[in-house]
Amino acid sequence: MDVGLLGLLQLSIESQPVLLAAVPAIVGILFGGYYMFKTFSFHGKRLPPGSLGLPLFGESISFLKAQKHDKTQEWVETRIRSYGPIFKTSLMGKPTVVITGTAGNRFIFSDNDNAIMSNQPSTVSSIMGKYNTFELTGHNHKLLRSAMASFLKPESLQRYVRDMDSLIKQQIFQEFNGKESVMIVPFMKRITFNVACALLFRLPYGKELDSLFEDLTIALKGMWSLHLNFPTTSFYRAMAARRRIFEYFSKLIEERRKLSEGNASSENDAISSLLNLRDENGEELSEDMLVDNIMTLIIGSHDTSTILLTQFVRHLARDKMFYDYILEEEKKILREKEGTDERLTWNDIQKMKYTWRVAQELMRITPPVFGNFKRAITDTSFGGFHIPKGWQVFWVSSGTHMDEHIFPQPEKFDPSRFEPTSKSYPPYSYIPFGGGPHVCPGSEFARMEVLLIVHHLVTNYEWSEVIPNEPISRDPLPYPAMGLPIKLYVKSKEEICT
């Protein structure tokens, strides 16, 4: 049963008034049957405790409301207190098992493709496309993931550092020059998008890139909305944006193919790398598969960085001590570079150890991705509970990130947790980028980008929040609700050099 059936019921009401009296009974039978099926069709199997919520909608409305107000952790913890670390619910129209804890993360992120596979909500798969790497299995999934991992590995990324540093420095100066205040969220979204497009995809600046940015923003907003495909809804607008994105990249792919004729070994960017791939039959990848995975790469290559950078700016505005510690580390790097090429290098980035520990702690407390969906492709079990084939499995990072047995005083901001001499945390307990064989292939690109941007911010500026204690809102990702406006103070040359 889906929204289309509700639409048919509505049409029947409008066109045939005589059926009005029967509608409550019809709806009751349909919803009752749905609920009975979801609840009792696995008689004899030990399903996890929990509630499937309302027929059709399940607990999606309360879940999305919690997301909107950054209360998802409380939403999960309330159910853990009632049912334990493994519980059932119904989200995005499907029965779902929520799994928390280190053992649960290991189960989710281990190479367990025979039982559990990636599975985005229907809104996500519709907008990103059914051939994106999260939806694929088998040969094509491994082919695409291997290509992305190879292109984004540290040895490959090192060639981008100087160009990335110059681009970031230029973009910050252009945006901040002559201004007393800046809206950080839109700025960080744009700078990370521009960096990814310029270095990973070689996309030209101009009106088309501006339109692509706007469409990707619209598409992202619709991914975790309700699957309601009619005008005025977020999902409807997102699908319209996807069609425009598809058209843009289809045209680009055609142009790149013409340029690469006679030069099949060219791998200057991510798009060229994907164009050179061949499926198990030796054929080029389809246009749909190429576009879906280019779109996936662009979204993935800038959103995590944007969230982390926004949290960085927000936290350093509130805590001068951490700002000063980071500033001293960055100034030391500048002093060591006196008389040489001013652009930062790969070796310089490796010296930003304390800065990255602050980043790690920010991602522990406010992970860019709170959780995500997978799907049982066969009957399986975990923790003594049956997980039926076809059910969603949802993992959440807070289950370990905020566990006092893993991270003592989890509410306290403490970057020293990640010092080499500190007590190590168990595998699969810290998962801002996933874990095991399913760790995000773009994590190193994100680290490089974040560290370069933070370096140029703290060495050139100080800032304060315009809106003290601005709350976080997830729509669907965690951003300050008002866009994080800040007041700027530009440092003099003497301040930068001393």
Side-chain angles (χ1 to χ4, degrees), residues 173-181 488 490:
F173 177 78
Q174 287 178 348
E175 179 65 25
F176 288 15
N177 186 36
K179 293 185 178 180
E180 294 183 355
S181 63
L488 278 177
V490 182

Side-chain angles (χ1 to χ4, degrees), residues 92 119-130 132 134-135 219-220 222-225 227 235 239 242 295-296 299 372-373 476:
M92 308 305 177
N119 180 66
Q120 306 299 311
S122 60
T123 49
V124 176
S125 59
S126 297
I127 293 165
M128 294 187 72
K130 64 181 179 180
N132 78 75
F134 297 110
E135 299 293 325
L220 184 62
M223 284 185 185
W224 277 42
S225 61
H227 197 142
F235 180 71
M239 288 302 294
R242 174 186 161 77
M295 186 174 173
T296 300
I299 290 174
N372 217 332
F373 292 94

Side-chain angles (χ1 to χ4, degrees), residues 169-326:
K169 189 174 182 179
Q170 176 191 9
Q171 298 264 314
I172 291 175
F173 177 78
Q174 287 178 348
E175 179 65 25
F176 288 15
N177 186 36
K179 293 185 178 180
E180 294 183 355
S181 63
V182 173
M183 291 287 286
I184 285 297
V185 171
F187 169 68
M188 289 303 182
K189 285 185 176 183
R190 192 60 200 247
I191 191 174
T192 54
F193 173 81
N194 286 347
V195 167
C197 288
L199 299 182
L200 294 183
F201 304 99
R202 290 192 296 120
L203 301 182
Y205 285 118
K207 291 183 178 180
E208 283 191 327
L209 195 65
D210 293 339
S211 297
L212 178 64
F213 176 73
E214 291 174 8
D215 282 333
L216 283 169
T217 301
I218 294 168
L220 184 62
K221 281 188 176 243
M223 284 185 185
W224 277 42
S225 61
L226 293 175
H227 197 142
L228 303 174
N229 195 17
F230 53 83
T232 75
T233 66
S234 293
F235 180 71
Y236 181 90
R237 290 191 294 270
M239 288 302 294
R242 174 186 161 77
R243 289 190 288 273
R244 293 189 294 269
I245 294 168
F246 192 96
E247 183 179 349
Y248 173 87
F249 282 116
S250 293
K251 179 182 175 183
L252 184 66
I253 287 168
E254 184 180 353
E255 292 172 356
R256 292 288 178 89
R257 277 182 168 147
K258 289 179 180 177
L259 289 173
S260 66
E261 287 178 3
N263 187 23
S265 62
S266 173
E267 293 188 6
N268 295 324
D269 59 41
I271 296 176
S272 299
S273 296
L274 294 177
L275 285 172
N276 289 335
L277 296 179
R278 297 293 181 268
D279 64 19
E280 53 194 341
N281 298 318
E283 300 292 332
E284 294 182 347
L285 302 186
S286 68
E287 184 181 69
D288 285 350
M289 191 174 294
L290 288 169
V291 172
D292 289 354
N293 285 284
I294 292 169
M295 186 174 173
T296 300
L297 269 173
I298 287 185
I299 290 174
S301 64
H302 83 280
D303 266 314
T304 300
S305 301
T306 300
I307 295 164
L308 177 53
L309 284 162
T310 302
Q311 293 297 323
F312 240 120
V313 171
R314 182 172 179 259
H315 192 82
L316 296 188
R318 298 178 176 189
D319 199 320
K320 187 69 163 54
M321 181 183 72
F322 289 110
Y323 175 94
D324 289 340
Y325 285 159
I326 289 174

Side-chain angles (χ1 to χ4, degrees), residues 73 315 319 321-322 325 354 357-366 400-404 406-419 422 430:
Q73 181 179 330
H315 192 82
D319 199 320
M321 181 183 72
F322 289 110
Y325 285 159
Y354 182 81
R357 287 199 288 271
V358 172
Q360 288 176 293
E361 181 70 343
L362 287 168
M363 289 189 289
R364 182 189 68 82
I365 293 176
T366 307
T400 51
H401 284 199
M402 304 305 290
D403 186 336
E404 62 182 3
I406 300 173
F407 298 103
Q409 295 181 278
E411 301 295 337
K412 179 183 177 182
F413 188 86
D414 183 9
S416 67
R417 302 177 197 275
F418 298 96
E419 291 178 356
S422 297
Y430 181 68

Side-chain angles (χ1 to χ4, degrees), residues 25 48 51 73 98 111 115 205 211 345 352 409 423 451 486 489:
S51 170
Q73 181 179 330
V98 179
D111 202 0
Y205 285 118
S211 297
T345 66
M352 301 177 188
Q409 295 181 278
K423 179 183 176 182
L451 290 175
I486 61 167
Y489 168 71

